[in-house]
Amino acid sequence: MKIVETILELQQQIPNGKTVGFVPTMGFLHEGHLSLVQQAKKECDLVVMSIFVNPLQFGPNEDFDRYPRNFERDCLLAEQEGVDFLFYPTVKEMYPVQPALTVKVHEGVDVLCGKSRPGHFDGVATVVLKLLQIVSPERAYFGLKDAQQVAAIEKLIRDFHLRVTLVGCPTLREHDGLAKSSRNVNLTRSERENASNLYQSLLLGKQVVEAGEYRSQKVLSVIEEFVRKNVTGTVDYIEVLSYPELGEIEHLSGRCILAIAVQYSKARLIDNIILDVKGEF
Ligand code: AMP
């Protein structure tokens, strides 16, 4: 595995004529990230992973400084998984000057994380556009754990005619169902135990839908009641929307997302389940 810190070096080293799979991350790798690499390895000749904690996507009171980092460990994990190039730029390398242009996402950001993290998806879309330009991959791998991010990047690719195929990959979970996340290390022991209830609440919602309840409000109330009784963190949102449009719906039909965000003392966790509702209402 080659570790590359500059854009020029990366572009000089990636051989021509190979199918490149790209896995952008913020590091502090876990099996969720590695599952994206595994998928990329199946479908591409070589895999480029980036590790970059992008300041542009963090709000002023968010956890940019507290975001967990361990580059040495990440290198070992990435190499074991078969990453060919690990791109590890500095903030100065990615933003050498104050950018004169950034990307603004103005659809699908009035809900979920877009609502509570204003500007977050602008920062994500800007850095992803830059990274895609730098790496020029055929395929880029993103986790559906960040489903709103996947929806925004689909639109980035469509609206800017980017020549890349986005691959959305399933969420990897701990044994108790908690979605793997770099931020899980910032949970206290009791919060960690409690956090499995996020997924449990969504599973309950899914069961209710599968039992034939398609009214969004009813599904939402079941999830909310479970969360009220079982989740110790502060709820940021619980929403039931169409996916990937992220529109409000009275009834679940077709692809829908059940999503939750909860703030614990030092970590904000998100999770979702995407359902394909085939039943009539
Ligand atoms: P991050 O480092 O959190 O920005 O994540 C980098 C990529 O890994 C994003 O596309 C995430 O959606 C994806 N990812 C994060 N957690 C998981 C998970 N538990 N399962 C699958 N993919 C994940």
Side-chain angles (χ1 to χ4, degrees):
M1 183 179 79
K2 291 209 169 99
I3 300 167
V4 181
E5 292 185 9
T6 69
I7 296 166
L8 189 65
E9 205 188 332
L10 184 70
Q11 291 179 328
Q12 283 171 346
Q13 292 211 16
I14 296 176
N16 290 328
K18 300 271 187 196
T19 306
V20 175
F22 178 42
V23 180
T25 80
M26 297 202 297
F28 209 72
L29 301 179
H30 53 68
E31 283 149 22
H33 299 114
L34 302 178
S35 73
L36 306 187
V37 174
Q38 287 156 16
Q39 186 71 24
K41 284 198 74 74
K42 277 190 211 146
E43 299 171 351
C44 307
D45 298 329
L46 57 86
V47 176
V48 179
M49 172 186 271
S50 62
I51 294 184
F52 180 61
V53 185
N54 173 36
L56 225 60
Q57 71 192 64
F58 287 80
N61 298 317
E62 292 183 358
D63 58 351
F64 177 73
D65 293 327
R66 237 186 8 245
Y67 197 83
R69 294 161 169 92
N70 187 339
F71 185 62
E72 266 175 39
R73 183 170 159 274
D74 286 351
C75 284
L76 290 175
L77 290 172
E79 179 150 39
Q80 273 169 19
E81 215 56 57
V83 168
D84 297 283
F85 291 94
L86 184 60
F87 181 46
Y88 183 57
T90 59
V91 173
K92 195 98 190 118
E93 180 70 10
M94 289 298 286
Y95 302 106
V97 293
Q98 182 71 25
L101 286 170
T102 52
V103 181
K104 176 140 189 62
V105 185
H106 40 77
E107 215 182 84
V109 287
D110 52 344
V111 292
L112 308 177
C113 295
K115 194 170 175 182
S116 35
R117 302 184 68 188
H120 168 69
F121 289 106
D122 299 342
V124 169
T126 301
V127 80
V128 170
L129 177 59
K130 284 163 74 79
L131 288 168
L132 291 173
Q133 291 296 102
I134 292 166
V135 178
S136 287
E138 269 70 24
R139 303 168 74 78
Y141 295 81
F142 290 88
L144 283 163
K145 178 188 165 254
D146 300 289
Q148 191 172 19
Q149 172 168 284
V150 170
I153 291 165
E154 265 174 18
K155 288 172 191 155
L156 175 78
I157 292 171
R158 181 198 66 191
D159 289 354
F160 290 163
H161 315 282
L162 305 182
R163 297 187 3 159
V164 61
T165 302
L166 181 154
V167 185
C169 302
T171 302
L172 254 80
R173 299 180 177 282
E174 304 288 354
H175 293 300
D176 62 356
L178 173 66
K180 287 184 186 273
S181 165
S182 308
R183 290 187 166 98
N184 290 349
V185 293
N186 288 338
L187 296 169
T188 65
R189 188 190 289 246
S190 66
E191 287 172 343
R192 168 63 193 85
E193 268 174 34
N194 185 258
S196 65
N197 286 315
L198 271 66
Y199 184 52
Q200 295 310 320
S201 75
L202 299 177
L203 276 182
L204 186 63
K206 178 175 182 239
Q207 280 165 15
V208 169
V209 177
E210 284 169 352
E213 177 59 81
Y214 302 126
R215 290 168 295 180
S216 312
Q217 205 49 53
K218 293 282 178 194
V219 178
L220 203 56
S221 327
V222 170
I223 301 174
E224 282 169 350
E225 198 192 332
F226 180 89
V227 168
R228 200 167 36 245
K229 288 187 181 147
N230 295 286
V231 171
T232 54
T234 308
V235 176
D236 179 353
Y237 62 71
I238 302 172
E239 292 188 56
V240 176
L241 302 167
S242 62
Y243 190 81
E245 302 80 11
L246 300 176
E248 285 182 13
I249 44 173
E250 230 171 275
H251 294 94
L252 286 96
S253 164
R255 277 230 288 176
C256 301
I257 184 167
L258 314 180
I260 183 166
V262 170
Q263 180 70 54
Y264 285 99
S265 59
K266 290 198 174 64
R268 180 178 173 280
L269 303 187
I270 59 171
D271 202 353
N272 72 77
I273 291 184
I274 295 172
L275 298 175
D276 212 345
V277 183
K278 295 206 170 67
E280 297 292 316
F281 55 83

